[in-house]
């Protein structure tokens, strides 16, 4: 007998003499369902047998466990829904066995038993069974662990560790690619070529995932113009880089909380917000603050303390019929310098007499071109963004160097005395230019080198011509003062001949001050209350006084103060007033005339 036969015989003898393993309950998948099979013990004989399987839910796998950046633990689950689509979900461990956990599972298409006992068995399975593989759970899209997460949850590139997106997927279908990259180049990008606003919008889409590499803050651009100017068509062609345009379009007329949730899903991505005029200025101001501050609203947690705030970095492409500052001020809201820096206004009118368009590409009218763009973007979309992400993930170091080189070059476009605010906006324009040239160099756009940057330069010049290179808040203060004097200089000041008759007499409440002539120059003495409440409204009065002094409009006394003592109508003695030497900024003589 061979050694093999002898060994096999010994094994059989030991197996026969070993005590039988006791029967234990178990979970299994049978006929498309997760079942629990228990053990029945006969009370008289003590014999055991298998119980009938209890159906708990649809077939379900626990494919791992997860932890997010706050230390919250999850169970990673996988199943197929009624459409036979794969569903992967990170369910918070704290919700397992609770009504909230069951609601989430049912909402994602998992059929559960309604019996309490079976739900308890299912909760035990979710907590105690399945794979121990550890996943990193993230509620935000964008760059994570060296890969890029689309709002659909699709991961581009190879993450450094297992990663699962567990955020908002309400617009996931809009990020599914349609057609090929060549289709997009030939039918969409080709129509944008030669049209600076449309090319700029495409550049914004490509620039969004580069903001992290360039270490730039959240921000964007506001494309404004008449309803028929073509601004929405230009924005749509930009959105086609990532997916179906209409499905990506969000409204400014949304709650700030909803917009911050959408921003987290579009972290390191493009966020298209259409028609700023549909929202309320106060809500838009609050939403813009949260969007560009990069954090969501702090909320309390059920178990005490606060939930982790969502954090994100987005590039917003906004559209509307009015410039942001015009819209805000028309509704009585002051616009802050930070808002103008984060969302600078770019005129949609490209100056060719066709609204946002400069080249019609054999179409009879701008309207016909816009219709063609809308039609083609619905058929061909999403492939350019995927191709560009592939370029970035394979060439990240070289891409970063190219971006920085472009940003340095663009910052040199400004004079040395340009404000830091102007430099921040210029850097964002430079990033858009860098994105377009990188996409072109790597064969994504189908354009010629230099085409994209020239288009961005046109938009940059349009912005710069409107705003200049100074501090936006300082400019807003001087503009507000100029506008105030243009409205009030003739009607609300007491002239010299009137003043002599009104000494000690109560004057009308709307009186703003006293007007005198000094060596042929117009001098306006303004009451402090009028200055604080009207001329400097919305700004710190001391800050406003300094800005207006620096602009050559407001005098400073010999004591270094911005207020001087003067006799005023309606007062028996002298009072402190603001002395305006000019009603416009120095160097703006034409406005004085």
């Amino acid at each position: 007998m061979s050694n093999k036969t002898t060994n096999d015989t010994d094994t059989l003898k030991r197996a026969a003499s070993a005590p039988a393993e006791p029967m234990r309950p178990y979970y299994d998948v049978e006929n498309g369902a997760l079942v629990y099979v228990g053990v029945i013990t006969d009370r008289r004989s003590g014999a055991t047998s298998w119980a009938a399987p209890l159906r708990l839910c649809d077939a379900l796998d626990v494919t791992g466990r997860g932890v997010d950046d706050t230390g919250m633990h999850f169970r990673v689950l996988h199943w197929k829904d009624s459409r036979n689509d794969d569903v992967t979900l990170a369910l918070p461990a704290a919700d397992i066995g609770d009504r909230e956990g069951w609601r989430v599972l049912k909402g994602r298409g998992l059929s559960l038993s309604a019996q309490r006992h079976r739900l308890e068995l299912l909760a035990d399975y979710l907590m105690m069974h399945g794979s121990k593989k550890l996943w990193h759970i993230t509620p935000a899209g964008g760059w994570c662990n060296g890969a890029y997460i689309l709002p659909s949850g699709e991961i581009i590139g190879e993450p450094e560790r297992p990663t699962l997106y567990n955020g908002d997927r309400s617009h996931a279908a809009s990020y599914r690619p349609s057609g090929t990259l060549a289709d997009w180049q030939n039918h969409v990008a080709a129509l944008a070529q030669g049209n600076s606003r449309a090319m700029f919008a495409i550049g914004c889409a490509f620039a969004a995932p580069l903001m992290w590499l360039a270490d730039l803050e959240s921000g964007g651009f506001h494309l404004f113009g008449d309803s028929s100017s073509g601004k929405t068509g230009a924005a749509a062609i930009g959105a086609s880089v990532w997916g179906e345009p209409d499905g990506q379009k969000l409204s400014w007329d949304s709650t700030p909380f909803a917009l911050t949730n959408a921003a987290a899903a579009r972290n390191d991505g493009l966020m298209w917000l259409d028609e700023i005029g549909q929202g309320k200025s106060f809500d838009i101001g609050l939403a813009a603050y949260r969007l560009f501050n990069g954090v969501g609203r702090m909320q309390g947690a059920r178990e005490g303390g606060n939930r982790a705030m969502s954090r994100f970095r987005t590039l917003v492409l906004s559209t509307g019929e009015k410039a942001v500052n015009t819209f805000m001020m028309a509704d009585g809201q002051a616009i802050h310098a930070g808002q103008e820096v984060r969302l600078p206004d770019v005129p949609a009118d490209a100056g060719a007499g066709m609204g946002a368009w400069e080249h019609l590409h054999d179409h009879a009218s701008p309207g016909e071109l816009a219709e063609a763009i809308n039609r083609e973007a619905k058929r061909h979309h999403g492939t350019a963004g995927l191709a560009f992400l592939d370029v970035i993930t394979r060439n990240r170091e070289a891409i970063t160097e190219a971006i920085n080189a472009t940003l340095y070059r663009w910052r040199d476009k400004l004079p040395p005395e340009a404000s830091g605010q102007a430099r921040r906006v210029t850097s964002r324009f430079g990033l858009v230019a860098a994105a377009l040239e990188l996409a072109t160099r790597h064969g994504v756009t189908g354009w010629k080198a230099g085409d994209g940057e020239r288009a961005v330069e046109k938009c940059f010049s349009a912005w710069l011509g409107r705003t200049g290179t100074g501090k936006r808040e300082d400019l807003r203060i001087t503009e507000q003062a100029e506008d105030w004097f243009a409205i009030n200089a003739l009607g609300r000041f007491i002239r010299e001949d009137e003043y002599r008759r009104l000494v000690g007499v109560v004057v009308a409440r709307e009186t703003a001050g006293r007007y005198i002539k000094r060596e042929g120059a117009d001098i306006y003495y303004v009451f402090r209350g009028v200055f604080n409440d009207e001329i400097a409204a919305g700004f710190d009065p001391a800050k406003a006084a300094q800005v207006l002094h620096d602009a050559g409009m407001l005098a400073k006394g010999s004591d270094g103060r911005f207020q001087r003592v003067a006799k005023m109508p309606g007062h028996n003695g002298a009072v402190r007033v603001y002395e305006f030497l000019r009603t416009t900024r120095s160097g703006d003589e034409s406005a004085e005339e």
Side-chain angles (χ1 to χ4, degrees):
M1 183 179 292
S2 67
N3 288 335
K4 181 179 184 304
T5 304
T6 303
N7 291 339
D8 288 347
T9 303
D10 293 341
T11 300
L12 291 172
K13 289 179 178 179
R14 286 195 300 270
S17 60
E21 285 288 331
M23 299 176 66
R24 301 179 186 279
Y26 65 92
Y27 295 88
D28 200 0
V29 174
E30 295 182 0
N31 299 321
L34 175 68
V35 299
Y36 173 81
V37 180
V39 175
I40 301 174
T41 302
D42 187 272
R43 293 184 178 180
R44 295 183 178 179
S45 65
T48 57
S49 60
W50 299 115
L54 298 178
R55 188 187 189 282
L56 307 181
C57 65
D58 292 338
L60 172 74
D61 289 324
V62 179
T63 58
R65 304 186 177 199
V67 182
D68 67 11
D69 290 330
T70 70
M72 180 80 72
H73 285 254
F74 298 80
R75 295 295 181 268
V76 180
L77 314 179
H78 176 266
W79 69 91
K80 287 186 178 291
D81 63 17
S82 57
R83 298 173 300 184
N84 206 37
D85 290 338
D86 288 298
V87 178
T88 300
L89 173 71
L91 183 67
D95 290 343
I96 293 175
D98 288 350
R99 181 182 303 173
E100 178 64 20
W102 303 138
R103 186 189 68 82
V104 169
L105 292 175
K106 289 187 288 186
R108 293 297 299 274
L110 186 71
S111 296
L112 308 178
S113 170
Q115 296 181 21
R116 180 186 296 272
H117 173 61
R118 298 192 186 195
L119 288 177
E120 290 173 350
L121 292 171
L122 177 56
D124 177 77
Y125 175 76
L126 298 179
M127 288 295 296
M128 307 300 296
H129 296 261
S131 171
K132 298 297 191 292
K133 179 180 179 180
L134 187 62
W135 294 74
H136 176 221
I137 309 300
T138 176
W143 295 108
C144 184
N145 297 324
Y148 188 92
I149 305 173
L150 291 169
S152 61
E154 181 182 356
I155 297 179
I156 308 301
E158 290 295 330
E160 296 158 359
R161 54 176 169 153
T163 302
L164 180 63
Y165 172 66
N166 202 42
D168 176 30
R169 296 174 186 261
S170 58
H171 292 81
S174 301
Y175 290 85
R176 293 174 183 162
S178 176
T180 66
L181 177 60
D183 290 332
W184 181 82
Q185 292 173 342
N186 295 330
H187 298 281
V188 181
L191 294 178
Q193 193 168 14
N195 290 299
S196 59
R197 272 49 178 181
M199 296 175 75
F200 179 72
I202 290 176
C204 289
F206 285 133
L210 300 181
M211 296 180 74
W212 173 62
L213 298 179
D215 195 26
L216 294 184
E217 62 193 0
S218 290
F221 301 95
H222 177 66
L223 200 61
F224 74 96
D226 295 338
S227 59
S228 57
S229 63
K231 61 185 181 300
T232 300
I237 210 169
S240 72
V241 167
W242 295 109
E244 199 279 314
D246 286 346
Q248 294 179 63
K249 182 166 59 176
L250 302 174
S251 173
W252 273 110
D253 189 20
S254 304
T255 67
F257 184 61
L259 288 179
T260 53
N261 280 346
R266 292 159 181 78
N267 181 44
D268 296 320
L270 179 72
M271 189 170 181
W272 176 18
L273 288 167
D274 193 36
E275 290 303 335
I276 198 169
Q278 293 180 357
K280 297 179 180 178
S281 59
F282 177 80
D283 291 339
I284 287 174
L286 179 60
Y289 176 81
R290 288 181 181 165
L291 282 177
F292 299 135
N293 204 35
V295 294
R297 185 178 66 176
M298 183 177 289
Q299 293 180 288
R302 271 189 318 179
E303 61 274 14
N306 294 314
R307 298 181 188 176
M309 291 189 296
S310 58
R311 299 184 182 276
F312 43 81
R313 185 191 330 237
T314 58
L315 196 151
V316 171
L317 182 57
S318 169
T319 58
E321 294 187 18
K322 297 179 180 179
V324 176
N325 60 335
T326 304
F327 167 73
M328 297 286 285
M329 295 177 70
D331 204 19
Q333 296 289 326
I335 184 167
H336 303 292
Q339 291 172 324
E340 289 189 282
V341 171
R342 297 291 185 91
L343 196 64
D345 295 314
V346 177
D349 191 338
M354 296 184 290
W357 313 110
E358 293 135 290
H359 294 280
L360 297 182
H361 295 287
D362 298 325
H363 290 86
S365 66
E368 186 177 303
L369 173 62
E371 291 173 0
I373 287 173
N374 185 57
R375 181 175 61 251
E376 297 300 334
K378 287 183 177 181
R379 294 174 55 201
H380 312 293
H381 52 254
T383 52
L386 296 178
F388 192 56
L389 287 176
D390 181 62
V391 170
I392 299 172
T393 54
R394 290 188 291 105
N395 306 277
R396 186 178 304 170
E397 193 170 314
I399 292 288
T400 303
E401 291 179 2
I403 292 170
N404 289 333
T406 302
L407 294 186
Y408 284 129
R409 180 162 49 81
W410 268 73
R411 288 164 184 153
D412 287 341
K413 292 178 179 289
L414 297 177
E417 66 272 13
S419 70
Q421 295 170 350
R423 293 185 181 280
R424 287 161 63 191
V425 176
T426 301
S427 294
R428 200 175 311 129
F429 274 104
L431 184 67
V432 175
L436 280 179
E437 290 306 308
L438 286 167
T440 297
R441 184 189 310 167
H442 290 276
V444 179
T445 64
W447 301 335
K448 295 178 182 179
D451 287 353
E453 185 156 5
R454 282 190 289 272
V456 178
E457 285 173 342
K458 288 184 179 181
C459 297
F460 173 73
S461 295
W463 167 79
L464 193 63
R466 282 177 49 83
T467 63
T469 60
K471 292 183 178 179
R472 294 301 300 147
E473 186 174 54
D474 292 2
L475 180 60
R476 186 65 56 222
I477 289 171
T478 55
E479 287 178 342
Q480 183 167 295
E482 289 175 336
D483 291 344
W484 186 90
F485 275 105
I487 295 171
N488 297 284
L490 294 179
R492 295 182 58 189
F493 286 87
I494 303 298
R495 307 280 165 165
E496 277 299 287
D497 55 341
E498 297 175 305
Y499 169 71
R500 296 187 184 93
R501 293 186 289 101
L502 295 174
V503 173
V505 179
V506 177
V507 296
R509 293 185 61 182
E510 62 269 16
T511 300
R514 177 184 173 190
Y515 163 83
I516 66 172
K517 276 280 190 182
R518 182 192 299 160
E519 298 177 356
D522 297 328
I523 307 296
Y524 294 87
Y525 293 150
V526 178
F527 287 122
R528 285 182 295 180
V530 173
F531 179 85
N532 294 342
D533 297 341
E534 298 182 32
I535 296 177
F539 302 98
D540 174 56
K543 161 76 173 177
Q546 183 64 58
V547 169
L548 295 174
H549 172 73
D550 294 342
M553 298 174 67
L554 183 64
K556 182 184 285 189
S558 58
D559 59 357
R561 300 176 65 178
F562 291 113
Q563 301 169 21
R564 60 157 294 169
V565 176
K567 292 183 178 181
M568 297 293 287
H571 295 268
N572 290 323
V575 296
R576 286 199 169 271
V577 296
Y578 288 90
E579 181 182 346
F580 277 85
L581 308 176
R582 303 173 57 91
T583 59
T584 60
R585 289 162 284 184
S586 296
D588 197 8
E589 282 77 12
S590 61
E592 292 270 26
E593 296 172 2

